């Protein structure tokens, strides 16, 4: 059997470990795009590759105690900005939901305690849980910062699994002070579904005898993998529950090849292996900010984002060959530009490339910009592209400079060395 382990209200549970007085109180963790990255005195920027998940950025500002209150979400004019990344069950009783604006949440629950995110703490606890699970289960896959899969096949007998996962969740709570919920089933997809109905701090095992009774009444929107487009197709065919989906195989499979796979997942007839390691296929950075028209300032911000992304690429030790820059404007307008380039990676060339992409992507110059995004993919280790030999020796010199800058930033911080274009 496969099991799925999910930390309940992870960010809130984490802060309660270091501030136990918050137990049983309505608590929420705020989140806001770190626009301080663009401040000329920016500092304490950190990069993370190891864990991912909702509201887990690759780049983030290191936690500071003085930021740990509502003031962290006030702008220069004193306006409260940002959204909630998660909230406690006590807060949810007031109708508070993930991604709700902080202002709306406070209107629903004036006594709501807002805490700033502490990514370093989350990473530390996530690592501890992964290490702990690795001692208890032969194969453990970390799906996100707060989500894990395990394979108990040949390790625990099926009839002993309910007792095993119940003891496991209590041991995790006792040893790490983290409340988790655990679902068990013949496939990872049904195990994840079971976890949803085990929360909070519960466990649920779905076997062959309970499969139909459990799966059939569940609404299609609650099954991981059914997005908006698939949801609309299913509901247009009057398919509202997983039981409806299972009874309409022909209709479902006619939608797309993915729909055929989805049908098998819901029926528990297909599964995926537990992967103990994941290879990163892309890296990106983006920031949302107040509407900005000044193209000079926007160009400066592109330089800042390029420097951070260059540092991340150096940490990964890869050579990307596909580059993408996108712009989001006010009035829901968007634009983007791609370029494919198989050459040695240097920060100077990457910075110039990002500037070029920005000029080409900026097609709505009468509008103000609200978001900039840069990403890189198709790393040479995974693609069949060969590096160009044109200007190879000159590029090697610049590559050595990039390496030296990387070393300085590794030692003194991402913001320790900046180019004049950022000032």
């Amino acid at each position: 059997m496969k099991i799925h382990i999910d930390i309940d209200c992870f960010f809130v549970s984490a802060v309660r470990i270091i501030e136990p007085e918050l137990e049983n109180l309505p608590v929420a963790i705020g989140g806001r795009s770190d626009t301080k990255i663009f401040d000329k005195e920016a500092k304490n920027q950190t990069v993370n590759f190891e864990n991912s998940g909702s509201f887990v950025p690759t780049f983030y500002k290191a936690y500071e105690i003085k930021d740990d209150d509502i003031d962290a979400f006030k702008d220069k004019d004193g306006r409260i900005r940002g959204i909630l990344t998660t909230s406690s069950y006590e807060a949810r009783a007031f109708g508070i939901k993930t991604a709700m604006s902080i202002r709306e949440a406070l209107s629903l629950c004036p006594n709501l305690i807002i805490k700033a995110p502490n990514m370093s703490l989350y990473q530390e606890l996530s690592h501890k849980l992964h290490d702990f699970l690795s001692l208890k289960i032969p194969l453990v896959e970390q799906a996100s910062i707060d989500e894990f899969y395990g394979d108990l096949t040949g390790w625990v007998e099926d009839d002993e699994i309910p007792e095993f996962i119940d003891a496991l969740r209590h041991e995790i709570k006792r040893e790490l002070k983290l409340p988790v919920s655990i679902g068990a089933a013949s496939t990872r997809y049904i195990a994840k579904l079971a976890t949803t109905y085990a929360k909070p701090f519960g466990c649920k095992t779905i076997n062959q005898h309970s499969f139909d009774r459990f799966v059939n009444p569940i609404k299609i929107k609650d099954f991981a993998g059914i997005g908006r487009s698939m949801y609309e197709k299913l509901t247009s065919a009057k398919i509202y529950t997983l039981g409806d989906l299972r009874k309409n195989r022909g209709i479902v499979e006619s939608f797309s090849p993915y729909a055929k796979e989805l049908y098998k997942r819901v029926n528990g007839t297909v599964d995926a292996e537990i992967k103990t390691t994941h290879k990163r296929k892309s890296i990106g950075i983006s920031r949302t900010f107040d509407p900005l028209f000044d193209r000079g300032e926007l160009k400066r911000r592109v330089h800042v984002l390029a420097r951070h992304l260059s540092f991340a690429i150096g940490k990964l030790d890869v050579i990307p060959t596909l580059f993408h820059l996108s712009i989001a404007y006010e009035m829901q307008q968007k634009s983007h530009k791609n370029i494919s380039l198989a050459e040695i990676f240097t920060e100077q060339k990457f910075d110039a490339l990002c500037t070029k992409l920005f000029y080409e992507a900026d097609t709505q110059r009468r509008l103000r910009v609200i978001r900039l995004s840069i990403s890189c993919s198709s790393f040479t280790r995974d693609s069949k592209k060969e590096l160009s030999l044109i200007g190879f020796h000159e590029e090697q010199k610049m590559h050595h400079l990039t390496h030296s800058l990387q070393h300085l930033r590794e030692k003194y911080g991402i913001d320790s060395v900046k180019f004049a274009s950022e000032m």
Side-chain angles (χ1 to χ4, degrees):
M1 269 192 165
K2 303 288 177 60
I3 63 172
H4 175 257
I5 303 156
D6 197 351
I7 308 174
D8 299 333
C9 308
F10 178 36
F11 295 172
V12 170
S13 297
V15 75
R16 281 174 169 171
I17 291 176
I18 58 177
E19 297 184 51
E21 64 272 17
L22 297 177
E23 199 70 44
N24 301 317
L25 295 176
V27 181
I29 307 298
R32 187 184 179 193
S33 178
D34 180 20
T35 53
K36 292 181 180 179
I37 194 175
F38 298 123
D39 291 352
K40 294 179 181 179
E41 64 274 13
K43 60 180 181 178
N44 294 332
Q45 294 291 332
T46 304
V47 62
N48 156 67
F49 301 123
E50 297 172 351
N51 290 317
S52 61
S54 299
F55 305 109
V56 181
T58 300
F59 300 90
Y60 59 89
K61 183 175 179 291
Y63 180 81
E64 293 181 86
I65 293 177
K66 64 184 178 63
D67 284 345
D68 188 25
D69 54 27
I70 193 64
D71 289 338
F73 305 99
K74 290 181 178 178
D75 61 17
K76 292 181 291 186
D77 300 320
R79 297 174 298 178
I80 296 176
R81 309 292 294 272
I83 60 173
L84 301 183
T85 58
T86 192
S87 59
S88 66
Y89 286 100
E90 295 84 358
R92 295 178 193 184
F94 289 87
I96 292 170
K97 300 178 181 179
T98 297
M100 178 180 285
S101 73
I102 294 176
R103 279 184 291 181
E104 183 181 357
L106 288 172
S107 70
L108 293 174
C109 179
N111 295 324
L112 181 66
I113 300 170
I114 305 291
K115 307 298 287 186
N118 187 342
M119 289 297 165
S120 298
L121 174 63
Y122 308 152
Q123 298 289 350
E124 177 188 349
L125 292 172
S126 182
H127 281 303
K128 285 184 177 179
L129 179 54
H130 181 270
D131 292 344
F132 180 85
L133 292 173
S134 297
L135 297 174
K136 303 291 180 179
I137 304 168
L139 290 176
V140 177
E141 173 183 335
Q142 180 145 17
S144 69
I145 194 169
D146 61 349
E147 198 177 10
F148 303 81
Y149 288 97
D151 191 344
L152 301 182
T153 305
W155 183 255
V156 180
E157 295 295 332
D158 285 358
D159 59 352
E160 298 175 354
I161 284 178
E163 181 181 356
F164 176 84
I165 62 176
D166 184 57
L168 181 61
R169 72 183 172 103
H170 281 98
E171 193 172 0
I172 292 170
K173 186 69 166 68
R174 184 172 60 253
E175 297 294 327
L176 302 180
K177 296 183 173 59
L178 286 172
V180 303
S181 295
I182 307 177
S186 59
T187 71
R188 60 189 291 149
Y189 307 111
I190 304 302
K192 180 178 175 67
L193 191 62
T195 306
T196 304
Y197 290 84
K199 285 180 172 289
F201 193 53
C203 52
K204 193 173 188 66
T205 301
I206 308 301
N207 55 35
Q208 184 179 357
H209 302 293
S210 61
F211 189 92
D212 292 348
R213 186 171 65 254
F214 170 70
V215 170
N216 288 350
I218 294 174
K219 295 179 180 179
I220 56 173
K221 66 179 179 64
D222 294 331
F223 190 84
I226 296 182
R228 181 181 299 178
S229 176
M230 183 59 67
Y231 177 81
E232 291 174 353
K233 289 180 180 179
L234 292 171
T235 53
S236 67
K238 300 189 184 306
I239 295 174
Y240 305 107
T241 67
L242 297 182
D244 294 338
L245 188 151
R246 298 177 70 200
K247 289 187 295 185
N248 290 275
R249 178 176 181 175
I251 294 174
V252 173
E253 292 189 343
S254 69
F255 291 151
S256 66
Y258 174 72
K260 291 183 179 181
E261 172 73 10
L262 178 64
Y263 182 84
K264 294 176 183 178
R265 291 184 184 183
V266 172
N267 274 282
T269 58
V270 69
D271 200 10
E273 294 181 3
I274 298 297
K275 297 180 179 179
T276 56
T277 58
H278 289 274
K279 185 183 290 186
R280 180 179 282 272
K281 296 182 179 180
S282 64
I283 181 73
I285 184 170
S286 63
R287 285 295 183 271
T288 301
F289 38 81
D290 289 334
L292 180 63
F293 182 81
D294 186 343
R295 263 45 188 179
E297 172 59 18
L298 288 170
K299 179 184 173 183
R300 188 187 74 83
R301 295 188 178 195
V302 169
H303 289 308
V304 174
L305 295 178
R307 168 169 55 84
H308 281 74
L309 193 49
S310 176
F311 177 80
I313 291 167
K315 289 271 286 184
L316 288 173
D317 193 23
V318 296
I319 297 177
T321 59
L322 183 62
F323 306 86
H324 177 90
L325 184 144
S326 64
I327 303 172
Y329 301 90
E330 56 188 347
M331 301 175 64
Q332 298 183 327
Q333 297 297 305
K334 296 180 180 180
S335 180
H336 70 272
K337 195 71 177 177
N338 299 321
I339 190 170
S340 180
L341 191 67
E343 297 178 0
I344 290 179
F345 182 87
T346 70
E347 181 173 347
Q348 185 182 47
K349 183 165 57 181
F350 179 59
D351 180 81
L353 179 63
C354 290
T355 304
K356 178 177 182 290
L357 289 175
F358 170 70
Y359 282 131
E360 294 179 359
D362 188 16
T363 57
Q364 306 290 331
R365 296 183 181 177
R366 293 183 179 181
L367 297 179
R368 295 183 295 178
V369 173
I370 60 173
R371 187 176 184 85
L372 288 170
S373 305
I374 306 173
S375 63
C376 304
S377 59
S378 296
F379 303 143
T380 50
R381 67 183 184 194
D382 299 316
S383 73
K384 297 179 180 179
K385 295 179 180 178
E386 295 183 0
L387 298 182
S388 170
L389 296 179
I390 299 175
F392 185 79
H393 295 296
E394 188 63 32
E395 287 183 358
Q396 275 193 315
K397 294 178 183 178
M398 295 307 300
H399 180 69
H400 289 314
L401 174 60
T402 298
H403 182 76
S404 298
L405 292 173
Q406 184 77 16
H407 178 73
L408 288 171
R409 289 170 181 152
E410 291 271 9
K411 189 173 182 179
Y412 300 108
I414 303 176
D415 302 293
S416 60
V417 182
K418 301 179 183 179
F419 289 109
S421 55
E422 294 185 38
M423 308 309 288

